[in-house]
Amino acid sequence: MAEKPQPIRVIYCPICSLPPEYCEFGSDFDKCKPWLIQNVPHIYPDLIKEANENDIDKVADKLQSTGISSGTSAAAATSASKQEVVKRLPGGKIKKKACLDRQEVVIEKVVRNKRKCITTVKGLELFGIKLSDASKKLGKKFATGASVVKGPTEKDQIDVQGDIAYDIVEFITDTWPDVPEAAIFFIEDGRKVPAA
């Protein structure tokens, strides 16, 4: 006689009450990680690697803070310096941090529909200027629409309707004296050109 098929036993995470395959889509994935590593390591092998890397980094930090040097001090120093330069995203992707030491305002004119222009202003927030206030002032000064939007690099920028690229430099330096004219650049034909 043929054997009776047995029902499949489904394991549920005790933290988020989802099957382990779906824990990463739940709201408490960070809380679920220890349970997943201990009970179902074959589903998320990246978590084990991540946990091991975190343990190594913690040990390296402890060694550096106590001043004990080991044979792998060069490797620990390079891993510590890499943490300062790059940021790990979930899934192991690496995102490089932007250089904050270069403060500059970049102005670019974008033509759309072959007639209408939009002037984008990037980098005002590096000088401590609140972008929402700056967009209101730009809109009032040039009697046009101005708004704060996310740019293609996921950073906020100000979009101003109209071709005001050359008039805007004088307005920025007069309104915000912290912004020197030497720190303002135009994008012309794909090249960065100083406004001064």
Side-chain angles (χ1 to χ4, degrees):
M1 279 189 44
E3 289 186 33
K4 234 183 184 180
Q6 295 295 321
I8 296 174
R9 186 176 159 256
V10 180
I11 301 171
Y12 291 97
C13 174
I15 289 111
C16 65
S17 71
L18 293 172
E21 295 86 5
Y22 296 101
C23 278
E24 66 183 309
F25 303 111
S27 60
D28 297 330
F29 185 56
D30 290 332
K31 294 178 184 175
C32 297
K33 285 180 182 180
W35 183 85
L36 293 170
I37 292 171
Q38 185 177 10
N39 295 311
V40 284
H42 61 280
I43 294 177
Y44 294 103
D46 293 338
L47 287 179
I48 296 170
K49 291 178 188 174
E50 183 181 317
N52 289 339
E53 287 176 2
N54 288 341
D55 291 341
I56 290 170
D57 290 340
K58 287 178 186 175
V59 170
D61 290 341
K62 285 181 183 178
L63 286 175
Q64 285 181 351
S65 66
T66 57
I68 299 174
S69 63
S70 64
T72 60
S73 63
T78 56
S79 71
S81 65
K82 284 182 184 177
Q83 284 181 345
E84 295 171 3
V85 177
V86 297
K87 177 183 176 187
R88 288 203 176 264
L89 296 174
K93 291 185 179 179
I94 296 174
K95 180 178 180 181
K96 293 185 180 180
K97 290 184 180 177
C99 294
L100 296 176
D101 56 342
R102 291 181 47 185
Q103 291 183 336
E104 56 188 30
V105 175
V106 179
I107 299 170
E108 182 177 7
K109 181 177 83 168
V110 180
V111 180
R112 60 181 182 94
N113 295 340
K114 297 184 181 174
R115 295 183 318 173
K116 299 189 178 190
C117 296
I118 295 175
T119 305
T120 62
V121 182
K122 305 172 194 171
L124 279 176
E125 72 276 359
L126 298 175
F127 292 94
I129 299 168
K130 193 172 179 182
L131 293 182
S132 59
D133 295 340
S135 69
K136 286 179 186 175
K137 287 182 181 180
L138 287 168
K140 284 182 182 179
K141 166 67 178 170
F142 297 106
T144 184
S147 61
V148 178
V149 296
K150 284 225 181 274
T153 60
E154 294 298 318
K155 290 188 176 181
D156 288 339
Q157 66 185 25
I158 299 175
D159 282 357
V160 183
Q161 294 178 5
D163 184 11
I164 58 165
Y166 294 102
D167 300 331
I168 203 168
V169 175
E170 184 179 342
F171 177 73
I172 288 173
T173 54
D174 290 345
T175 309
W176 299 286
D178 294 342
V179 182
E181 193 170 347
I184 301 175
F185 294 92
F186 291 117
I187 300 288
E188 292 178 352
D189 300 326
R191 292 178 291 128
K192 193 186 292 187
V193 180

